[in-house]
Structure formats: structure tokens, C-alpha cells
Amino acid sequence: MSTTATYDVAGMTCGHCVTAVTQELSALPGVSSVVVDLKTGDTSPVRVTSDAPLDAEQVRAAVDEAGYEVVGSRS
Amino acid sequence: MSTTATYDVAGMTCGHCVTAVTQELSALPGVSSVVVDLKTGDTSPVRVTSDAPLDAEQVRAAVDEAGYEVVGSRS
């Protein structure tokens, strides 16, 4: 079983940003997949699949660590 | 003695891009300083200081290696 949630991340502009966010989120326990749909000049949806639902605060902290901001989320 | 030239580089959008271009250009023989003035959505002037004038083709190749394009230059 796995669960997927989508986070809207602001401030991502290029492939390097995608790499940074993907690396931080992939490092969270239980995460099996991170897919970023880069939208320059807008928020980018980031789909995260994990064994169990993730703690929102942990996701927010990981994205912040990469240098970006979660501005919304949905399951 | 040192010489400085400015290259206009297209496609740079964020601090990661600045890092990538700076690393590639700093690795060229004789380069002592690389200063990028990031201009998102426009070409970014990159000022390169070196012991002797650089070969334009070498600079172009280094920027290309980082994933960007030199679209102009001036001394």
C-alpha cells in the first residue's frame, strides 16, 4: 500500500530547483517517489508517494531546506 | 596583470544556475574571478577576470557545459 499527496511549491524556476526539491523530499522516511511538474513563474505541483501519509510539517521543512515554500497541498 | 571580459548568458533563472556557470568558468585555466549578475527572464552579464584574455570558444564551451548559452560578449 502507498499513498500520494500533491504539494504546490513556489519559487521553482529550473531543473536545478527540481533536483534540489526532489533530493530533499526523497530523503524523507517512507517516500518512494517524487514527481515535479515544473511551472516557471507559477507554483509547481510536486507529487509525493510514500508508504504512509507524510507529516505535513516534515514535508514543509524539507521543501524549505531546499530553499522553496509549500503554499498548498491536496491528497 | 589581469583582464576582464563580460559575457551575456541566456537561460539563467536562479541561484543554482549561477553556481553551475560559476563553477564551469572558474575551472578554466587562468580565471581568477567570476561574477554573475543574475537577471531572471533576461540575459545575465557574467564578468570573468583572468590572467590573460580567454579564448572565446573555450568560454562558450564552458557555459554550454553548464547548460546555458553565451549570446554576446564585450571587454
Side-chain angles (χ1 to χ4, degrees), chain A residues 6-7 10-11 13 17 24-25 27 29 36 39 41 43 47 56 58-59 62 67 71 75:
Chain A
T6 300
Y7 303 87
T13 56
C17 303
E24 287 293 337
L25 288 173
V36 178
K39 295 191 188 300
T43 60
R47 210 165 66 243
Q58 207 173 15
V59 171
V71 294
S75 294

Side-chain angles (χ1 to χ4, degrees), chain A:
Chain A
M1 289 290 291
S2 67
T3 179
T4 297
T6 300
Y7 303 87
D8 294 314
V9 178
M12 299 177 67
T13 56
C14 75
H16 296 117
C17 303
V18 172
T19 301
V21 167
T22 301
Q23 283 179 346
E24 287 293 337
L25 288 173
S26 297
L28 293 180
V31 169
S32 53
S33 161
V34 177
V35 178
V36 178
D37 180 11
L38 179 63
K39 295 191 188 300
T40 300
D42 200 353
T43 60
S44 298
V46 178
R47 210 165 66 243
V48 182
T49 303
S50 51
D51 298 342
L54 294 171
D55 176 61
E57 215 24 72
Q58 207 173 15
V59 171
R60 199 171 287 271
V63 170
D64 181 81
E65 183 67 27
Y68 306 93
E69 191 190 358
V70 174
V71 294
S73 65
R74 54 195 180 279
S75 294

Side-chain angles (χ1 to χ4, degrees), chain B residues 6-7 11 14-15 20 22-23 26 28 31-32 35 40 45 48 52 55 63 66 68 70-71 73 75:
Chain B
T6 301
Y7 304 87
C14 74
T22 301
Q23 282 179 345
S26 297
L28 293 181
V31 169
S32 55
V35 178
T40 300
V48 182
D55 176 60
V63 170
Y68 306 92
V70 175
V71 295
S73 65
S75 295

Side-chain angles (χ1 to χ4, degrees), chain B residues 19-74:
Chain B
T19 301
V21 167
T22 301
Q23 282 179 345
E24 286 294 336
L25 289 173
S26 297
L28 293 181
V31 169
S32 55
S33 161
V34 176
V35 178
V36 179
D37 180 12
L38 178 63
K39 293 190 189 301
T40 300
D42 200 353
T43 60
S44 297
V46 178
R47 211 165 65 243
V48 182
T49 302
S50 51
D51 297 342
L54 294 171
D55 176 60
E57 215 25 71
Q58 209 173 15
V59 171
R60 200 171 287 272
V63 170
D64 181 80
E65 183 67 27
Y68 306 92
E69 191 190 358
V70 175
V71 295
S73 65
R74 53 196 180 278

Side-chain angles (χ1 to χ4, degrees), chain B residues 1-21:
Chain B
M1 289 289 292
S2 68
T3 180
T4 298
T6 301
Y7 304 87
D8 293 315
V9 177
M12 300 175 67
T13 55
C14 74
H16 296 116
C17 303
V18 172
T19 301
V21 167

